[in-house]
């Protein structure tokens, strides 16, 4: 029998489970003001940016801390368009993945593979890091679209350099040029998802790069973190929930049952926002417009009822994933591409945070309080 003693040192530290309330870095990139429901990118309120600037302008803003001039924007667009095509080895690998592999696994694997084909993957000069950042912003949509086409047995659609980021992604997924309305909607979704303070996936990217690992490893880490249903995976959960409920009439009973079972309603609640997530109204408006055009108001009506019940019963608000799910669904995008789209947009923020971390780096290494036994003696194997 083993013997156990009480741990010799009871920790004097205060634990913040989930690191809630802990400040891990200074950042000039974005500010999430949970008490008043504000999101700010480099000094601009999200309400000021949404509808006025394109995703590429936000990429520039996050990477340069100011909005681009027309010339700077044109240069960025042409750099991104020039970086899109993937190494043949990565394409060969993507098309051989099992067709039923969830896309987030494929994208995480694809980004990791991109690192294998980049001869300067470990070049740590800031110029090389910036190039890798832009390359990933341009290539992650292509990884996603290639895998999506291949898993359906459809021919790959190669990137079109004349199209912007949102339009090119839709074109590569559908194989036809998207309508202006679809492009504008997707572009706005990209803008709203681009950055969000020290969220879990951004934090994980910063932890990885803080060891002086490499850009590909940091973004691979971030994708794996975003995938979880408590983070970016919630948008897929929202549509699955709406489909499971099936009709407006079923909403009240579903919510009551979920609360009784202590089951989370996807797309509701937030660690930082204690009032409405400022991205939600923009997405809700888009969802309402698209649902009305499709002549199928069921999904938005169900969503609105769920949101109002959750506010009334738990004082919890809808978050970014709640209405983005209906927007993507109304655009005809397959459910398992919702989280990949989040990843595509958030790559702008992740890479900007990686560059910011590198510019003033310190290894991120918190501590834990040991709660196990001490002083155990090894019992020989044969006697255990
Ligand atoms: N549905 C039902 N109850 C919820 C809830 C939800 N979506 N989100 C939080 N709650 C409840 C919890 O059950 C808990 O209630 P209790 O105090 O009665 O036990 C309380 O609110 C606090 O929840 P907790 O999970 O501890 O808060 P958190 O800060 O750790 O969680 C989230 C934040 C985002 C993880 C959480 O709200 C959640 O899981 N939401 C659903 C997933 C989602 O939409 N994620 C995307 C976030 S952008």
């Amino acid at each position: 029998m083993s013997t156990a003693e009480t741990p010799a040192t009871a920790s004097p530290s205060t634990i913040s489970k989930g690191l809630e309330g802990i400040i891990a870095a200074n950042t000039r990139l974005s500010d999430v003001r949970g008490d008043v429901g504000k999101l700010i990118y480099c000094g601009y309120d999200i309400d000021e940016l949404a509808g006025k600037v394109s995703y590429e302008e936000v990429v520039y803003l996050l990477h340069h801390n100011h909005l681009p001039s027309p010339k700077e924007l044109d240069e960025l667009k042409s750099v991104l368009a020039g970086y899109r095509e993937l190494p043949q080895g990565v394409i060969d690998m993507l098309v051989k993945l099992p067709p039923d592999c969830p896309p987030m696994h494929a994208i995480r694997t694809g980004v990791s593979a991109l690192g294998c084909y980049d001869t300067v993957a470990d070049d740590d000069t800031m110029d090389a890091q910036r190039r890798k950042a832009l390359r990933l912003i341009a290539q992650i949509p292509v990884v996603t679209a290639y895998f999506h086409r291949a898993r359906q047995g459809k021919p790959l659609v190669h990137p079109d350099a004349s199209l912007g980021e949102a339009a090119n992604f839709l074109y590569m997924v559908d194989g036809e040029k998207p309508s202006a309305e679809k492009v504008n909607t997707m572009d706005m979704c990209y803008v709203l998802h681009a950055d969000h303070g020290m969220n879990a996936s951004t934090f994980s990217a910063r932890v990885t790069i803080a060891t002086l690992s490499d850009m590909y490893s940091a973004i691979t880490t971030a994708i794996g973190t975003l995938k979880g249903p408590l983070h970016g995976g919630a948008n897929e959960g929202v549509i699955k929930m709406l489909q499971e409920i099936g009709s407006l009439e079923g909403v009240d009973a579903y919510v009551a049952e979920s609360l009784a079972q202590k089951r989370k309603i996807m797309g509701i609640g937030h660690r930082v926002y204690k009032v409405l997530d400022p991205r939600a109204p923009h997405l809700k408006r888009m969802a309402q417009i698209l649902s009305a055009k499709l002549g199928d108001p069921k999904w938005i009506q169900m969503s609105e009822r769920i949101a109002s019940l959750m506010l009334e019963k738990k004082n919890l608000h809808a978050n970014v994933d709640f209405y983005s799910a209906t927007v993507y669904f109304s655009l005809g995008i397959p459910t398992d591409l919702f989280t990949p789209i989040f990843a595509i947009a958030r790559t702008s923020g992740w890479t900007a945070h990686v560059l910011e971390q590198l510019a003033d780096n310190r290894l991120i290494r918190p501590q834990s309080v040991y709660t196990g036994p001490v002083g155990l003696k090894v019992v020989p194997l044969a006697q255990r």
Side-chain angles (χ1 to χ4, degrees):
M1 285 285 291
S2 307
T3 54
E5 299 165 12
T6 310
T9 50
S11 171
S13 319
T14 307
I15 301 175
S16 176
K17 206 173 167 196
L19 300 185
E20 186 164 0
I22 302 291
I23 296 166
N26 285 323
T27 181
R28 290 178 56 85
L29 297 171
S30 60
D31 191 11
V32 180
R33 299 198 180 155
D35 50 341
V36 290
K38 291 262 172 222
L39 170 60
I40 290 149
Y41 293 169
C42 305
Y44 294 92
D45 196 306
I46 196 69
D47 293 336
E48 173 64 18
L49 294 169
K52 286 191 191 159
V53 299
S54 65
Y55 170 64
E56 286 86 347
E57 286 171 87
V58 170
V59 171
Y60 193 96
L61 175 65
L62 292 171
H63 282 249
H64 298 270
N65 251 271
H66 64 89
L67 283 169
S69 67
K71 183 168 171 282
E72 288 165 334
L73 182 60
D74 283 349
E75 277 168 13
L76 174 68
K77 283 181 172 173
S78 86
V79 166
L80 290 175
Y83 277 158
R84 283 181 189 146
E85 196 50 276
L86 308 184
Q88 191 57 43
V90 176
I91 300 176
D92 293 345
M93 189 210 69
L94 287 172
V95 302
K96 283 191 197 127
L97 288 175
D100 57 354
C101 150
M104 285 298 281
H105 284 281
I107 297 159
R108 190 196 59 234
T109 306
V111 172
S112 186
L114 283 171
C116 304
Y117 287 89
D118 186 345
T119 52
V120 293
D122 287 314
D123 183 339
D124 60 1
T125 59
M126 280 316 263
D127 273 356
Q129 303 283 22
R130 282 193 202 96
R131 277 198 302 276
K132 283 178 272 182
L134 294 181
R135 207 185 295 275
L136 280 170
I137 291 169
Q139 289 184 327
I140 292 180
V142 178
V143 168
T144 309
Y146 279 169
F147 172 71
H148 178 59
R149 299 282 299 183
R151 70 174 168 162
Q152 301 169 89
K154 291 184 178 169
L156 304 187
V157 176
H158 292 279
D160 180 336
S162 71
L163 299 175
E165 286 304 304
N168 180 62
F169 175 67
L170 292 166
Y171 166 64
M172 291 186 66
V173 164
D174 293 338
E176 57 190 48
K177 296 277 164 69
S179 68
E181 186 190 32
K182 203 168 173 179
V183 174
N184 291 340
T185 305
M186 187 59 87
D187 189 79
M188 172 95 116
C189 289
Y190 281 9
V191 167
L192 295 171
H193 284 83
D195 199 36
H196 206 236
M198 197 54 69
N199 61 88
S201 53
T202 298
F203 181 59
S204 65
R206 289 186 81 131
V207 169
T208 300
I209 204 66
T211 68
L212 300 183
S213 184
D214 69 290
M215 182 69 76
Y216 295 95
S217 298
I219 304 307
T220 302
T221 309
I223 293 169
T225 308
L226 183 76
K227 175 176 166 288
L230 296 188
H231 192 6
N235 54 17
E236 294 180 23
V238 172
I239 282 298
K240 285 182 188 142
M241 171 180 72
L242 294 177
Q243 286 169 331
E244 189 187 329
I245 301 173
S247 69
L248 183 57
E249 291 66 42
V251 166
D252 288 42
Y254 181 93
V255 169
E257 171 73 7
S258 299
L259 293 181
Q261 303 280 334
K262 292 215 162 280
R263 204 170 58 213
K264 293 268 180 78
I265 302 279
M266 290 294 109
I268 300 288
H270 200 274
R271 171 61 66 78
V272 183
Y273 293 121
K274 298 307 167 206
V275 294
L276 186 63
D277 180 332
R279 301 163 295 179
H282 295 283
L283 290 156
K284 180 176 174 181
R285 200 170 49 252
M286 286 191 271
Q288 284 167 328
I289 293 167
L290 289 168
S291 301
K293 283 218 167 123
L294 280 178
D296 185 5
K298 183 170 95 172
W299 307 107
I300 186 72
Q301 285 172 349
M302 287 167 73
S303 303
E304 284 172 350
R305 179 72 189 146
I306 293 169
S308 93
L309 282 172
M310 288 303 287
L311 189 57
E312 180 192 315
K313 292 183 188 298
K314 296 284 291 182
N315 196 28
L316 291 171
H317 293 267
N319 61 49
V320 68
D321 293 310
F322 194 64
Y323 293 107
S324 63
T326 310
V327 170
Y328 300 144
F329 185 76
S330 306
L331 290 177
I333 290 167
T335 307
D336 62 4
L337 291 189
F338 292 4
T339 314
I341 290 169
F342 192 156
I344 288 169
R346 185 57 60 85
T347 305
S348 59
W350 288 333
T351 50
H353 277 270
V354 165
L355 295 170
E356 190 178 64
Q357 180 70 34
L358 283 171
D360 182 23
N361 190 47
R362 184 140 203 259
L363 179 74
I364 299 172
R365 205 302 190 186
Q367 279 180 267
S368 48
V369 175
Y370 176 67
T371 60
V374 295
L376 298 182
K377 300 289 179 229
V378 173
V379 176
L381 184 59
Q383 293 167 34
R384 273 181 251 150

